[in-house]
Amino acid sequence: MNIILLGPPGAGKGTQAHHLVATRDMIQLSTGDMLREAKESGTEMGKRVAEVMARGELVTDEIVIGLIREKLEGDRHGGFIFDGFPRTLPQADALGQLLEEEGMQLDAVIEMQVDDEALVDRITARATCAGCGEVYNDNTKPIPADGVCTKCGEAHEFTRRADDNEEALRNRLMEYYKKTSPLIGYYYAKDMLSTINGLGTVEDVRASIAGVLKG
Ligand code: AP5
Ligand code: ZN
């Protein structure tokens, strides 16, 4: 099964993708994570990408489509979860074409709706385990007092993202409404869109996603 998790920054795409990876043997393809890895590589491309991301703007279609193309050629396990991709109409067209070339199809596009106020609250409270990528939240899932990650069981640093500040977040939201939200109509017209309320607890949202994937 191949699915897209579509939603604004902080909607909970990564959190829900991690759960699907753990329970359904699916593979998470997060272009945000891939781009942050490119940034760590210290290459010229990585440095350019880091500047664009820190401002909260979108990286070029060419770069992200290239990253996804490489991954689709690898192992498939229980299918792919596209997290943060596609983000523009050209990326959506490219994904359709790539899946067709690989003999795969898209099974569901799940739009996670969360209002802007909650997004700002969630993002400014986010922290991530530098060891395993487990996502924490100062309000709803605090960093363990003993500093030991509940997922990997190790005492790694808990990091805050460079683009999790108010100014970058404003740009990220603008980019979402301008360039990504047209995908809602795009997939609705293909009869693939399911919209869920992303505002409940993590467990509520899990249950909504499970409901879509059964149907
Ligand atoms: P990316 O890494 O994709 O970030 P994003 O879309 O802004 O989404 P986030 O990772 O911020 O949020 P999320 O929905 O995963 O929420 P999470 O689960 O962490 O992209 C970053 C940048 O990379 C972009 O700005 C762009 O520059 C570039 N980029 C990436 N892909 C690109 C593409 N395809 N094209 C061009 N450029 C691209 O949750 C957030 C917080 O809320 C956490 O603390 C979590 O614990 C908490 N939380 C989650 N669910 C709940 C809940 N139900 N209740 C309460 N708290 C919750
Ligand atoms: Zn960890």
Side-chain angles (χ1 to χ4, degrees):
M1 180 180 302
N2 302 304
I3 67 169
I4 294 175
L5 294 182
L6 183 65
K13 305 181 293 293
T15 300
Q16 296 299 330
H18 289 171
H19 179 69
L20 292 170
V21 167
T23 54
R24 292 178 184 250
D25 187 34
M26 295 177 80
I27 296 177
Q28 177 191 15
L29 295 184
S30 158
T31 40
D33 287 348
M34 293 176 207
L35 291 167
R36 279 183 287 278
E37 276 166 28
K39 182 173 98 177
E40 295 304 317
S41 69
T43 58
E44 267 315 305
M45 189 270 257
K47 279 185 214 156
R48 276 203 309 274
V49 160
E51 285 166 19
V52 175
M53 289 173 82
R55 287 198 298 270
E57 293 164 11
L58 292 189
V59 172
T60 63
D61 289 336
E62 200 189 352
I63 290 179
V64 288
I65 291 167
L67 290 171
I68 289 288
R69 180 182 287 120
E70 268 176 38
K71 300 283 179 183
L72 292 188
E73 289 163 0
D75 281 344
R76 294 180 186 178
H77 291 258
F80 294 109
I81 307 155
F82 297 97
D83 162 6
F85 178 90
R87 253 175 156 99
T88 63
L89 290 170
Q91 289 180 25
D93 284 336
L95 177 62
Q97 221 173 320
L98 287 172
L99 288 172
E100 201 180 310
E101 281 167 20
E102 295 291 331
M104 288 185 273
Q105 62 172 37
L106 203 53
D107 298 287
V109 178
I110 303 177
E111 184 211 353
M112 303 170 69
Q113 284 187 337
V114 177
D115 62 53
D116 286 3
E117 205 181 320
L119 296 174
V120 175
D121 283 353
R122 284 185 185 183
I123 281 193
T124 49
R126 171 167 54 189
T128 307
C129 169
C132 71
E134 181 70 350
V135 182
Y136 291 85
N137 188 284
D138 298 335
N139 304 320
T140 53
K141 189 183 172 190
I143 295 168
D146 60 3
V148 177
C149 172
T150 51
K151 185 170 180 211
C152 65
E154 290 170 24
H156 289 284
E157 198 188 338
F158 294 91
T159 55
R160 309 265 172 186
R161 269 170 45 179
D163 58 348
D164 279 355
N165 59 71
E166 246 176 75
E167 196 190 337
L169 181 55
R170 223 181 359 255
N171 288 336
R172 286 159 68 193
L173 283 171
M174 250 163 20
E175 292 281 67
Y176 179 79
Y177 292 119
K178 234 180 2 199
K179 298 178 185 164
T180 309
S181 66
L183 299 186
I184 296 167
Y186 176 95
Y187 286 114
Y188 177 81
K190 290 181 185 286
D191 204 17
M192 296 186 116
L193 188 78
S194 298
T195 300
I196 62 163
N197 180 1
L199 260 183
T201 64
V202 171
E203 289 71 26
D204 291 338
V205 181
R206 271 182 200 167
S208 302
I209 291 177
V212 171
L213 298 185
K214 251 185 253 139

